[in-house]
Amino acid sequence: MKFLHIADVHLDSPFLGLSFLPSELFGQIKNAIQLSFEKAVNFAIDNDVDLVLLAGDTFDSIHPTPQSKIFFANQIKRLVDRQIQVVMVLGNHDYSQIDDLLLNESPYFKIIGSNEQIEQVDFMTKSQYKYRVVGFSYQHNHITEDIIAKYPPKSTSIYTIGLAHAGMKQSSVDQNNYAPFTLNEVKNLNYDYFALGHIHLRQVLSQEPWIVYSGNLQGRHVNEKDAKGFYFGQVDEQSQNTQLQFIDVSPIVWQTVDLTLDEPFKSTTKLCTKIQNLLADNNLRPTLFTLNIIGAELLSDAQLDMLNDKSMYEELSNNLQYHSLLVKVYYKHRDFIALNATDRALFAKAAEEILTANHTCELASSLMKKSNIVTNNLQKEEYLSDIYELARVRLEQKLRGNNDEIN
């Protein structure tokens, strides 16, 4: 038996932080999610698999766009036309009504576990090999109950697959909103394979038995780096041993590169050349780059202003292959200024008092009255974090200048 474990496709998902790109280029990048799913379906057909598991959040919303529903329906039809069984659960993002998905009825497509009830269904491959899938679907965007604890343990020789969109229990109660489970309870079920969704980081929690997060198919922002895809499982029908292989289908990857400054760049041209070469050295496939400049207080005011202008990103990306792009620059300061413990504590206290959302909104109150964009941005944690780090860089920059004059 051969199967695919796919999770967290997030059709319709926005690519965060890329709104500054030209609309045509942004459209190509946004289409990467559908392309990654189509590549997974192509793989299933080309390799004549028996089963495709969809472990939740296939859509990014409970109200998918008509285009994404039609796209999904067409891809599922390609599978069922080849008599490839598709078993799906709904996650916390796509707990929609099944009737809304424009899918034709077929014995080869089944959404299991409606009303957050555990359901187990038996299937058979074309070679008459029997297997069982156990799972549940969301009906709300949060589930605080440990539903996996109620899964029935494996009780027969039938190859048994668990399917769930869930997160491991955390120490903080307010983080346990997605059917929280413990690893031991899943191990004790003794399923042959447990296919998990929800966590976008690909990871194997256990090999005996297999307990696996496949991650998402396409990274959507800087925190979803590197290759993305699905797992391809091949089952020895005699021993029931499973071999697992990761298949990369992400059309675009996110990657972060670091530029560490130990002294100022007196020539802005040389700084740009350094950045371009650094990006080019890491450009092995279509990539959205983010750049960490460590020691950014060594940049001049003009250099900081230049790098804060997003139109420069395209210039710095000119020599890259595969239509790759620099899409974000982060500034990291280092404590170059020698301060005693008392002064450093005072600085820390001042930062704690000043670098707050409320204080920032007070300072920006006149701008907020003129623009909703400012208001919306100041409600975003990442935007505020960028502002605060840039403020620290500017302060270290000024203090370093004063320190040089004193020396």
Side-chain angles (χ1 to χ4, degrees), residues 33-46:
I33 290 179
Q34 289 194 1
L35 182 57
S36 67
F37 188 67
E38 186 174 0
K39 288 169 73 174
V41 171
N42 291 344
F43 183 94
I45 292 172
D46 292 344

Side-chain angles (χ1 to χ4, degrees), residues 96-286:
S96 57
Q97 296 297 318
I98 298 172
D99 293 341
D100 292 340
L101 296 182
L102 306 180
L103 293 163
N104 295 321
E105 288 189 19
S106 168
Y108 291 100
F109 178 82
K110 185 168 182 59
I111 297 177
I112 64 173
S114 62
N115 299 316
E116 298 175 2
Q117 298 298 308
I118 298 164
E119 182 178 1
Q120 62 180 33
V121 185
D122 291 348
F123 301 95
M124 186 179 294
T125 69
K126 290 188 281 288
S127 64
Q128 307 303 301
Y129 181 70
K130 295 180 180 180
Y131 64 94
R132 174 173 294 166
V133 182
V134 185
F136 73 94
S137 287
Y138 281 60
Q139 292 299 306
H140 309 84
N141 62 348
H142 290 122
I143 297 178
T144 57
E145 181 184 3
D146 180 355
I147 294 183
I148 292 178
K150 298 180 180 180
Y151 276 43
K154 181 177 178 179
S155 58
T156 71
S157 61
I158 294 178
Y159 189 91
T160 304
I161 298 170
L163 186 59
H165 193 82
M168 291 184 66
K169 282 184 180 176
Q170 304 295 313
S171 57
S172 177
V173 175
D174 59 1
Q175 294 180 319
N176 292 321
N177 294 320
Y178 306 103
F181 67 89
T182 66
L183 184 57
N184 281 338
E185 74 191 25
V186 184
K187 285 183 176 181
N188 291 338
L189 293 173
N190 200 34
Y191 288 4
D192 297 282
Y193 188 86
F194 208 103
L196 289 164
H198 180 61
I199 302 301
H200 292 187
L201 177 65
R202 180 176 78 255
Q203 52 192 309
V204 176
L205 302 182
S206 169
Q207 292 188 23
E208 294 183 0
W210 285 108
I211 304 170
V212 180
Y213 279 109
S214 63
N216 52 345
L217 289 183
Q218 168 62 57
R220 303 169 303 151
H221 51 73
V222 63
N223 294 324
E224 297 181 352
K225 301 174 187 174
D226 302 323
K228 297 285 186 176
F230 59 85
Y231 276 113
F232 173 42
Q234 299 183 78
V235 181
D236 184 318
E237 296 182 5
Q238 300 302 316
S239 66
Q240 293 198 341
N241 288 333
T242 305
Q243 298 295 319
L244 207 59
Q245 180 184 359
F246 171 69
I247 306 298
D248 174 7
V249 292
S250 51
I252 302 169
V253 297
W254 290 79
Q255 184 176 348
T256 298
V257 295
D258 293 339
L259 172 61
T260 301
L261 304 182
D262 294 316
E263 59 183 11
F265 266 91
K266 294 182 180 179
S267 167
T268 299
T269 300
K270 289 184 178 179
L271 172 64
C272 290
T273 300
K274 180 71 174 179
I275 293 172
Q276 288 175 324
N277 290 340
L278 180 63
L279 297 175
D281 289 344
N282 289 275
N283 185 205
L284 304 178
R285 59 183 292 180

